[in-house]
Amino acid sequence: MRRETITGEAHLVSVLAANAREHGHEIAMRERDRGIWQEYSWQTYLERVLCAAAGLEALGVAPDDKVLIVGDNRPALYFGMLGAIALRAVPSPAYPDFTPEQLLGQIEREGVRFALAEDQEQVDKLLGLREQYAGLEWIVYDDPRGLAGNTPQGVIAFTELVRRGQQRLQANPALREELLTRPQADDVAVLLHSSGTTGAPKGILLKHRHVLFAVRSAAEAGYFEPGETHVAYMPIAWVGDFIFSIAAALALRFSVNIPERQETVQRDLREIAPTVYFTSPRAWSTMLTRVQVGIAESTRVKRWLYERFMPFAIALERRRLAGEQPGAGQRLWRAIGEALIYGPVKDQLGLARARHAYTAGEAIGEEIFLFFRALGLPLRQFYGQTENSALCAAQDLDSVKLHTVGKPFPGMEIRISDSGEILVRGGNVFDGYFNDPEASAETLRDGWLHTGDAGHIEDDGQLVVLGRVSEIVHTRAGARFIPTFIENQLKFSPYVKDVCVLGDGREHLAALVAIDWEAAGHWAQERGIAYTSFADLSQQPRVYDLIEGLMAAVNGKLPEATQIRRFVNLHKEFDPDDGEVTRTRKLRRGVIAEHYRDIIDAIYAGRDAVESQAQITYETGESGVLKRHLAIRDVPPIGAAKAAA
């Protein structure tokens, strides 16, 4: 890494300027637009950022102003974010599928006067909010479709903003250098937000020094390298995108590639062939399902080859993780499999060039983890939160375990409190929440970030994450359990998309299950099971048998007192628009308990079915009621108690 990122005086704009100065003609960013890749060099990148900054300042953006960013990944949104940062203003990204109410809450809490939106959909949403919040002065939009030539008062195209900024820079040449030197390392670079599982999301302020320290430490640990090819598809509102697509991309000169649409990510991913790739366990599971479905629908020869080589590779990887070295014959067979199966599968997934592959956010299933490592992907787990700039600990290439998340990066410390909570200290840790001194004081104590996660450190220094401390609960008889731990075990199955484990203060554990529509649907089709809808599929007796088998398998790893005794297959998925999960799909247990109260009451009343009425929210914002007859199934006891996994 260059000196600018090593010293404590660096900020994101100075790093961008150094890239433009030293590597000006190299490609910094690509965007697929109408099937054609549009390229931006580092010089162009910097020019767009400075023009955006000058244009935003002309609109009235001042230091400490919060600038709302809403939409999918687009170069203009990244240019606009860094333009705001150059003015010492603070970009505040929001999820593009936020409801108007959620967006209004963020705008009001932060006193937002300016917004940068991707397209007409987001502009219309913001214009509708002006009736309730008159403080929104300007809306800048990127995609002109539906807006060009018909812009309301206070709405301006990003291209026009850049044009005005360019005129200011030409009229005042000194302004360019001034914009490069305004930001400071201790300025806030971005205002991100917590999941809000128990209330309104908390604002998380990350400074330049936080994110650059995190990137530097991760790079020193070999987490990623200069010149990586990266695909920007994660939500802009998520810390992972800010760290990968902006902070690391600038500090390590990544080539950032933006798919045409979210719907084309998989196609574009294959064309991009990134060298570094990070996604959630849920996405890795979806990839595995897609491979399995594709193999099942392929030719007999391909199925025969897959069935010979994949079990071998998985068994070989399992032995490798146990410390065994493959023999000459195994290496030869592995090389043949690389040519016939492993390489082609990686190519189809777009991961043929990936030399750094990661999973984080929740536990990943052993079957999923072993499958991708068996393909030859160096898949590793890492641990981080928004409060510690997403980068805190990761597995080394030579010390991968199925149940750990690795060791802390250089310059970062991890210890376990007396209560079993994971504590973190380092230059990557934030300084406090936005306008919430009480929460800040509770989270930051004696120089340590109290993560709220429960865990322990093994003898070799690797961290094991068990779940949220706040979610440690007890049955009526006093048996202690962590719902998320059990839920993750169930979600290791491709047939379960979401599950909520019940039992706090109850006589036994039970579960509300939302099946995975694609995986369970394919499973049913292979067995000739007819169905007409998600609700119909979920209530098929053989699908219940499938889920019951999964429950029994997980129960076999749990103490008898915390085994699941009853479950229901829900007739719909948990939906963020209904408030049941966050945008990152973390459960809002209070909302779920309220929405499914009739089902929960029926489970614990010992009934074998229930007529349920579920509240649903349509894309228009209107709500309705979905009625369905749901079966309630018992899970036979496993027998002797076993130690928790």
Side-chain angles (χ1 to χ4, degrees), residues 580-597:
E580 297 163 351
V581 291
T582 67
R583 298 292 159 178
T584 54
R585 301 210 65 84
K586 294 180 180 177
L587 299 183
R588 286 194 167 110
R589 298 184 189 277
V591 176
I592 290 172
E594 180 181 345
H595 284 190
Y596 301 96
R597 184 179 305 279

Side-chain angles (χ1 to χ4, degrees), residues 25-238:
H25 296 294
E26 295 178 11
I27 300 302
M29 186 177 290
R30 296 183 183 89
E31 177 195 24
R32 187 163 189 161
D33 183 19
R34 296 174 177 85
I36 300 173
W37 288 101
Q38 307 293 332
E39 296 183 339
Y40 301 87
S41 68
W42 286 110
Q43 284 183 345
T44 303
Y45 195 155
L46 177 62
E47 187 66 21
R48 294 291 174 90
V49 167
L50 294 178
C51 289
L56 287 170
E57 188 171 50
L59 294 184
V61 175
D64 294 326
D65 271 337
K66 309 303 180 289
V67 180
L68 182 76
I69 312 292
V70 58
D72 287 327
N73 314 73
R74 288 290 169 261
L77 299 192
Y78 292 123
F79 299 153
M81 289 175 74
L82 283 161
I85 289 170
L87 299 175
R88 305 185 77 181
V90 181
S92 174
Y95 287 96
D97 55 353
F98 262 6
T99 64
E101 292 74 19
Q102 290 172 316
L103 205 54
L104 179 62
Q106 182 170 330
I107 290 172
E108 289 182 331
R109 285 191 300 271
E110 299 167 6
V112 170
R113 297 193 298 133
F114 306 92
L116 176 54
E118 178 194 1
D119 54 18
Q120 182 185 14
E121 178 186 355
Q122 304 299 344
V123 171
D124 288 347
K125 195 185 299 183
L126 292 168
L127 288 173
L129 296 179
R130 270 184 172 169
E131 299 177 4
Q132 304 172 66
Y133 179 79
L136 186 59
E137 299 176 14
W138 281 98
I139 301 170
V140 183
Y141 66 87
D142 175 35
D143 190 340
R145 284 174 290 190
L147 290 165
N150 186 32
T151 53
Q153 182 71 25
V155 178
I156 183 175
F158 183 78
T159 51
E160 174 61 18
L161 179 84
V162 168
R163 188 189 68 80
R164 294 183 186 183
Q166 189 174 39
Q167 287 182 335
R168 288 192 69 210
L169 291 173
Q170 291 172 346
N172 181 10
L175 179 59
R176 182 182 301 272
E177 187 62 29
E178 184 188 340
L179 289 172
L180 294 176
T181 57
R182 279 191 200 177
Q184 303 295 318
D186 213 44
D187 286 346
V188 174
V190 67
L191 173 54
L192 299 169
H193 304 86
S194 66
S195 299
T197 55
T198 58
K202 293 190 289 288
I204 300 171
L205 301 163
L206 293 180
K207 298 181 177 180
H208 295 266
R209 60 177 172 84
H210 296 141
V211 297
L212 289 176
F213 181 94
V215 170
R216 181 188 69 198
S217 297
E220 288 177 4
Y223 184 84
F224 34 41
E225 305 168 36
E228 300 278 14
T229 300
H230 165 63
V231 54
Y233 73 97
M234 297 176 283
I236 284 181
W238 189 46

Side-chain angles (χ1 to χ4, degrees), residues 411-637:
M412 304 179 190
E413 299 175 73
I414 295 178
R415 70 179 178 89
I416 307 299
S417 73
D418 294 339
S419 63
E421 183 179 8
I422 299 170
L423 309 184
V424 175
R425 182 167 65 182
N428 58 320
V429 174
F430 82 142
D431 293 338
Y433 294 108
F434 174 70
N435 284 350
D436 198 340
E438 185 176 334
S440 300
E442 178 65 24
T443 301
L444 296 167
R445 283 176 270 161
D446 301 322
W448 290 90
L449 167 67
H450 288 243
T451 66
D453 289 330
H456 66 264
I457 298 175
E458 299 200 328
D459 293 340
D460 63 355
Q462 293 214 48
L463 176 66
V464 177
V465 181
L466 300 174
R468 298 294 291 172
V469 172
S470 60
E471 293 186 345
I472 298 176
V473 293
H474 300 80
T475 64
R476 184 174 296 171
R480 177 179 178 271
F481 69 99
I482 303 177
T484 50
F485 176 81
I486 303 174
E487 289 159 358
N488 285 333
Q489 302 297 310
L490 291 167
K491 287 192 294 183
F492 290 163
S493 165
Y495 307 117
V496 175
K497 181 167 186 178
D498 278 309
V499 59
C500 179
V501 170
L502 313 167
D504 184 15
R506 302 278 191 170
E507 57 270 25
H508 61 77
L509 272 63
L512 305 177
V513 178
I515 62 172
D516 186 283
W517 166 251
E518 182 178 357
H522 181 74
W523 180 90
Q525 289 171 13
E526 283 190 324
R527 287 154 181 79
I529 301 171
Y531 60 92
T532 58
S533 64
F534 182 100
D536 187 29
L537 175 63
S538 73
Q539 297 306 299
Q540 293 293 325
R542 292 178 66 185
V543 173
Y544 261 89
D545 293 342
L546 172 66
I547 302 301
E548 181 185 323
L550 299 174
M551 294 282 176
V554 170
N555 279 349
K557 305 176 184 179
L558 299 170
E560 188 174 7
T562 59
Q563 293 173 4
I564 296 172
R565 299 303 183 194
R566 311 196 81 201
F567 74 96
V568 169
N569 281 349
L570 295 176
H571 48 306
K572 62 179 286 291
E573 296 178 358
F574 293 137
D575 195 328
D577 288 340
D578 296 333
E580 297 163 351
V581 291
T582 67
R583 298 292 159 178
T584 54
R585 301 210 65 84
K586 294 180 180 177
L587 299 183
R588 286 194 167 110
R589 298 184 189 277
V591 176
I592 290 172
E594 180 181 345
H595 284 190
Y596 301 96
R597 184 179 305 279
D598 55 344
I599 300 175
I600 297 170
D601 289 345
I603 289 173
Y604 286 103
R607 293 161 55 187
D608 59 7
V610 60
E611 296 292 335
S612 175
Q613 298 187 33
Q615 186 82 17
I616 58 173
T617 302
Y618 300 104
E619 293 183 357
T620 60
E622 298 177 346
S623 61
V625 174
L626 185 62
K627 298 181 181 180
R628 190 73 188 186
H629 178 88
L630 303 179
I632 301 174
R633 180 76 70 94
D634 291 323
V635 183

Side-chain angles (χ1 to χ4, degrees), residues 381-404:
Q381 301 188 64
F382 81 90
Y383 173 71
Q385 299 174 309
T386 308
E387 287 89 342
N388 52 48
S389 304
L391 300 173
C392 185
Q395 296 174 328
D396 297 326
L397 280 171
D398 57 354
S399 60
V400 173
K401 295 182 179 180
L402 291 170
H403 65 289
T404 71

